[in-house]
Structure formats: structure tokens, C-alpha cells
Amino acid sequence: AARQVAAIGRQHELTGTPRSVPSRDGTTLMYPVTSNEPGTDEKKRDAFVDDVRGVAHDQGGLTVQVGGPGAMATDAADVYNALGGPLLYTTVAVVAVLLILIYRSPLLWLVPLAVVGMADYLSTGVAYGLNQAFGTTVSGQSTGIMTVLVFGAGTDYALLLVSRYREELRRHERPYDAMRAALRGCGPAVLASSGTVAAGLLCLLAADLNSSRGMGPLGTVGVLCAVVAMLTLLPALLVLLGRRVFWPLVPAYGSTPKARRSLFAAMGNSAGRRPLTVLASGAVLLGALALGALNLPGAIKQQDAFVDKPESVAALETLAKAYPERSAQPIDVITPTDRAEATLATVRGAHGVAGAQPGRSGGGWTEISVIASAPPQTAGETATIKELRHELTGSYVGGPSAQQIDLEDTNSRDRLIVIPIVLVSVLLILIALLRSLVAPLILVAAVVAVWGAALGIGGLVFGPLFGFEGTDPGLGLLSFVFLVALGVDYGIFLMHRMREESLRSIEGHGTPPASAALTALRTTGGVIASAGLVLAATFAVLTNMGLVQLVELGFVIAVGVLLDTFLVRTYLVTSASVALGRKVWWPGRLSRTPDPAPPAREPEPVS
């Protein structure tokens, strides 16, 4: 096998013939294989790993496993490359089923689904253009998230528009006039909400980690392509198809919808009777759930990042069992060649180093392969890496374990910078949109509470139920950005209708001012709930993917959206608005406008 691997050296610049390292019990042979070629070129790396596997596996009777950092990166790339088709097909199927259940029409569900599919193709083209023009980072994770956002957000906007269009068809004879009224009514809310989501996602540009920073522009592209398609192509198709697209529940001109017992009216009434009690109870519940975040497992190790164990992880486990006296994952030290001997002596004298050997040299630099006495990605190995970095000035300490340390540090730095930027940006946008300070503060506090509770639920299930050995270092930051941006999205829908009802009451028609929040919930609760279910279901598709980080991210966002839709938006925001009354719009003009005087009652005749 070693000779066959060496035979492909001319193609992949193999550094010498691999030499066997037998285990102490004589059952296992390890062949370290190194190539100068792959570097950061993923295609060359994958070709190198595939060629080595092709030679190594053809050994008849022997169990051969190809592992190491390169093989693990190739296995991760294979999982990401396999996401495209299954992720898209599963998302389409989930959205289609939900739209059929929501609309109860054999035709209507096809229209928004076809439009959102076109928006997805558009977003892919725009993402490619950004990569070519500006070098925007595009990864399997970011493109998968972009697809989910296009279908989730696009379907949400479609639900809001179609619901308002159905209302207007009962008031206008021509579909064209009904659509104009629907766009005037809900268009500003859709534009405002999509703009807020885009602004929140663009805050990821402040992140230092390329994968997080690249997800901001791609997520923004997905949301903007979705809103453009839903406010242009979808209205045109609906007007062309006319009322018959709603068959068999066609909204006739001049008709009134059947009176039904509204679940959200009942929920709003319960929140309206004792708003302070409901608000306090909900806050206590969310706080209790957030405590579950203390149970989140530590940072995930590379070998635990796959849902199904690939060959590279199996090889790592085999090495750990066969060579318990040494690490199965070397630490790489890169030092100037003229100081290689001194560096080697320092490395060998460092605490926790089991052995060190000089390797390749070139360009004035020499590689030293260091074997730690502690297993990979443990506290002992971490201490050894930090000591080497402290002792070796002018040299670089790398390798998979060192990369994980840097990854955790970078994510911690990104959280400290990006989260405040997101909060401030979203708050300023909401203040400008709602012309209030109180209402934006309520919405932002609500979505932050949802984020904490969703992470807490993740902490309760990731280890005990899912069996995950750790969490992705970027989970906190990415889940925060998505939940805040998308949660505020629904808050704008509700607050926009609440403000509309408050203005109507001032003008002397519509509901009393104290009931504006309950009326807004009753009229928009159904469509917000439908939109929340669709968005949660699209992100839940990620839990069926092959990487733990995608499963965790999809689970936290899906749970957070459901909490926001059925608890926070329905009960807490509504009860807070009822308790505050017009003060929710402080210091805007709406908070200072006196309520209209009730009409004078005529004196009753004296009998």
C-alpha cells in the first residue's frame, strides 16, 4: 500500500515514501502521508484524499482507513455538497404541504411556491455575482441557509399579501383594485420587515470569521430577492388568475367572511383581562427556559461534528485506541529554518510534549511535527498549545486542535462585537418605523428573551436527547442574529396593524383605543401563526442534515420562531401593549392624541 501511495507522488507532490509506525500491540500500522500540493485549494485536497483512498482501500482482507485533517475536511465538504439537492427538495415539500393545509385550495398554493422557487434561483445568481465581483465568501452552510431564508421569508410575505388581498376582494369588484389596496395596506409592513431582517443580517459583516461574515450578505440577498419577487411577480400572477385562484373558497365581492370562533381572539381576550399577570408569567417562563443554556455542552470536537460517522472519524478513533501513548493528531510548528534546532529543543522541553520531529523545509521555514501526550482537543492538549505559543516567539503553532482554539476565540470576539451592533441597528430602525421608543424596546426585549429561551431548550435536549458531544462555537451568534431579525419581522406585522387600528380609533371609527392591540392580534394572528409555522418548518429541515452544527442551528431557530409566534407575540407583546395603552407609542404624536369623545346619548323619553 505504501508503494502504491508513493506511486501517485508525482501527481500530488508527495513528500517521500510513507513509512509505517507500528502500534505497541502489533495490531495496527500507521502510515503518515503528506503532500505539498493541496494547501488551501479544496479541489486539489479532495482529489489527493480520494486518490489515496482509492489505493489504500484496494488491499484485500485488510481493514484500511484514511483519516487526518485533510480527509476530515474532505468528508465535511462531501456533506456540504450533498446538502443542495436534499435541502431544496425537502424544503419545497414542507412548504407545499403547509400551504395546501393553510389555503385549502388545489391551485392557490402553487402560485407562491412557484414564485419563491424563482426567487431562490435569482438569489443563487446574485450570490455568484457577489462572489465574482467582491470575493464574498460562499460556503455550503451559507448557501443552505440562504435557500431556507428565501423559502421561509418569501412564503411569509406571500401569506401576508394573499391574506390582505383576500380581504380586499370582498371590498373591491376588480382584482386589480383589490391588489392595489392590499399592496398599500401590507406593502409598507413587508418592506419594513424585510429591510430590518436585511440590516440585521448585514451586521455579520463585522464578524472576523469568514463563514459568519459571508453568511450576512448571502442571507441579505435571499431576503431581498424574496421580497422583490413577492411584491412584483406574485401580485401580477394573482391579478391575472383572478378570483378563481381561491377556489373553492372564493371571496365574492360584497360578501362577508363567515363568523368563526377565533383562537387568537380568545388568546387575546385572556391576555387583555389580566395583562400584567400574563406578562409576568410569560417572563418567568422564558427566564426559566433560558437557564437550560447553562447545560449546553462545551465546544464540539472535530470528530463529533458529524451526525453519521465518516471514515476520517473512524480512523481517528482507531488511532486513539491503537496508540494510547501519543496523540493521534499532531501539532504543527512552523519556525524559521535558521532557528529550527533551537525551536526543536524548546518544543521537546515543553510540558505535555511526548515527542517532536523536524519535517519539511522550504522558503526559509521548517515544519516541526509535535505529538502531545494528551488526547486531541482536551484541556491537557490545549494547555500544551498555549504554552508552545507563549514560548515560541517568531514561530507559528497550528494544526487542527490549534485551529479549534482560534475558532472559539474568534467566535467569542465576534459575539462581543456583532450582538451589540445588531441590537442597536434593529432598535434604531424600529424607532424610525414605529415613531416610538417604547414599542421598539418591547419588541427587542421580546426577541432577546426568545433567543435565550431557545438556547435553553437546546441545552436541555442536545446532550440528553440528541446525544451531541458539544455545540458549534458559532451557534450563539448565528442563532441570535437570525432570531432577532426574524422575530422583529413578525413584530412589525403586528405593530403595524396595531398602529393602524389606533389611528382609526382616533379618527372616530374602528375599535376603541384600548382594544387596538386585541384587534390587531385577532386580524393578523392567523397569518402570523401560519407564517411562523412555515418559517419554523423550513429551518427544521436543517435538523435532517448530516452536520451537528446545522442540526443545532436549525433546531434553535425553529424552536425560537415557534416560541415567538405562539407565546411572545401572542401573549407577551399583546399584554404589554394592552397594559401600556397609548403609552406604547411614546413619545410619538399618537401617544399624545386624546381619545375622541363618545357620542352623546339622546335623553330617554319620560313615560
Side-chain angles (χ1 to χ4, degrees):
R3 288 193 299 271
Q4 289 177 312
V5 170
I8 65 173
R10 290 184 299 274
Q11 180 181 355
H12 296 288
E13 298 185 19
L14 209 64
T15 58
T17 301
R19 296 183 178 181
S20 65
V21 180
S23 63
R24 287 183 178 178
D25 59 8
T27 62
T28 306
L29 289 175
M30 176 174 62
Y31 287 89
V33 180
T34 306
S35 169
N36 289 325
E37 182 192 58
T40 57
D41 191 320
E42 295 182 1
K43 292 183 178 179
K44 291 183 178 179
R45 177 203 65 202
D46 295 344
F48 172 58
V49 172
D50 291 340
D51 286 347
V52 172
R53 282 177 169 169
V55 170
H57 290 169
D58 188 21
Q59 300 305 315
L62 290 177
T63 300
V64 181
Q65 296 168 330
V66 178
M72 193 170 293
T74 297
D75 289 337
D78 290 341
V79 174
Y80 277 121
N81 293 335
L83 288 181
L87 179 63
L88 178 61
Y89 303 146
T90 306
T91 304
V92 170
V94 168
V95 172
V97 170
L98 289 175
L99 287 178
I100 292 172
L101 294 176
I102 291 169
Y103 287 140
R104 291 171 291 171
S105 169
L107 177 62
L108 181 57
W109 65 275
L110 282 170
V111 181
L113 188 62
V115 174
V116 79
M118 295 180 185
D120 183 52
Y121 278 110
L122 175 62
S123 66
T124 303
V126 175
Y128 176 79
L130 287 178
N131 175 261
Q132 295 299 307
F134 305 104
T136 303
T137 302
V138 177
S139 64
Q141 182 183 26
S142 59
T143 53
I145 296 295
M146 183 180 69
T147 295
V148 169
L149 272 175
V150 171
F151 277 86
T155 306
D156 284 358
Y157 301 146
L159 287 169
L160 190 67
L161 177 64
V162 172
S163 174
R164 192 61 177 259
Y165 178 52
R166 189 196 296 266
E167 289 183 30
E168 299 298 337
L169 281 173
R170 301 182 188 278
R171 304 189 185 104
H172 298 83
E173 185 174 2
R174 294 197 311 161
Y176 175 77
D177 296 330
M179 181 57 71
R180 286 186 60 189
L183 288 173
R184 283 197 301 267
C186 71
V190 171
L191 288 173
S193 61
S194 61
T196 306
V197 174
L201 293 176
L202 283 177
C203 292
L204 284 171
L205 287 173
D208 187 45
L209 194 65
N210 279 338
S211 59
S212 298
R213 186 167 63 243
M215 198 173 295
L218 261 64
T220 301
V221 164
V223 172
L224 294 182
C225 287
V227 74
V228 167
M230 293 306 157
L231 292 182
T232 56
L233 182 58
L234 179 62
L237 291 177
L238 290 174
V239 171
L240 286 174
L241 293 172
R243 298 176 188 271
R244 59 183 177 273
V245 74
F246 290 93
W247 185 87
L249 304 176
V250 179
Y253 171 60
S255 64
T256 56
K258 294 182 180 179
R260 297 177 180 175
R261 294 184 60 185
S262 171
L263 171 63
F264 290 95
M267 297 169 76
N269 290 336
S270 65
R273 284 193 295 269
R274 295 182 178 85
L276 294 179
T277 302
V278 171
L279 187 60
S281 301
V284 170
L285 175 60
L286 291 177
L289 290 174
L291 293 176
L294 300 175
N295 194 47
L296 283 170
I300 194 167
K301 299 178 181 179
Q302 284 185 315
Q303 62 265 31
D304 297 325
F306 299 88
V307 176
D308 297 318
K309 185 190 305 180
E311 180 184 349
S312 58
V313 174
L316 190 64
E317 293 177 349
T318 299
L319 289 176
K321 293 178 182 178
Y323 301 86
E325 74 284 357
R326 57 182 290 168
S327 173
Q329 193 166 266
I331 302 168
D332 297 325
V333 174
I334 309 298
T335 187
T337 301
D338 58 358
R339 292 175 13 210
E341 291 297 329
T343 300
L344 182 61
T346 303
V347 168
R348 287 174 173 170
H351 177 73
V353 173
Q357 295 293 331
R360 297 169 292 179
S361 294
W365 294 89
T366 295
E367 176 188 49
I368 299 175
S369 182
V370 183
I371 301 299
S373 57
Q377 297 182 37
T378 60
E381 188 196 40
T382 299
T384 301
I385 292 172
K386 291 183 177 180
E387 180 177 344
L388 289 174
R389 286 179 166 176
H390 177 72
E391 296 292 335
L392 300 176
T393 57
S395 301
Y396 300 98
V397 179
S401 298
Q403 291 173 12
Q404 285 297 106
I405 296 173
D406 294 339
L407 186 63
E408 293 175 32
D409 292 342
T410 303
N411 273 292
S412 298
R413 174 261 180 200
D414 288 348
R415 284 196 298 271
L416 293 176
I417 293 178
V418 175
I419 286 179
I421 294 176
V422 172
L423 288 175
V424 172
S425 301
V426 170
L427 185 61
L428 291 177
I429 293 173
L430 289 177
I431 290 173
L433 291 174
L434 300 177
R435 283 164 280 180
S436 164
L437 285 177
V438 177
L441 286 173
I442 291 174
L443 292 180
V444 170
V447 293
V448 171
V450 165
W451 172 65
L455 274 182
I457 295 175
L460 297 176
V461 302
F462 285 161
L465 187 60
F466 293 169
F468 294 157
E469 299 294 333
T471 55
D472 181 66
L475 175 64
L477 174 62
L478 295 180
S479 61
F480 178 86
V481 171
F482 283 111
L483 282 178
V484 169
L486 297 172
V488 168
D489 195 22
Y490 293 142
I492 291 175
F493 293 163
L494 181 64
M495 285 293 185
H496 183 269
R497 191 59 179 259
M498 193 184 303
R499 185 179 180 85
E500 185 179 331
E501 293 296 331
S502 298
L503 289 172
R504 284 164 56 86
S505 67
I506 291 175
E507 295 168 358
H509 37 267
T511 57
S515 303
L518 304 182
T519 303
L521 177 63
R522 185 174 61 252
T523 54
T524 64
V527 67
I528 290 178
S530 301
L533 284 173
V534 170
L535 189 63
T538 52
F539 272 98
V541 171
L542 293 176
T543 62
N544 196 37
M545 300 298 107
L547 291 173
V548 170
Q549 61 181 351
L550 292 181
V551 175
E552 292 176 341
L553 183 63
F555 179 86
V556 170
I557 295 178
V559 169
V561 169
L562 292 177
L563 282 174
D564 185 79
T565 302
F566 293 101
L567 174 61
V568 174
R569 202 66 51 210
T570 304
Y571 279 112
L572 303 192
V573 172
T574 301
S575 60
S577 301
V578 171
L580 291 172
R582 290 209 186 281
K583 294 179 182 178
V584 77
W585 305 113
W586 184 87
R589 180 181 62 86
L590 192 57
S591 66
R592 303 188 301 271
T593 305
D595 297 340
R601 296 178 60 186
E602 296 182 2
E604 297 181 1
V606 179
S607 57

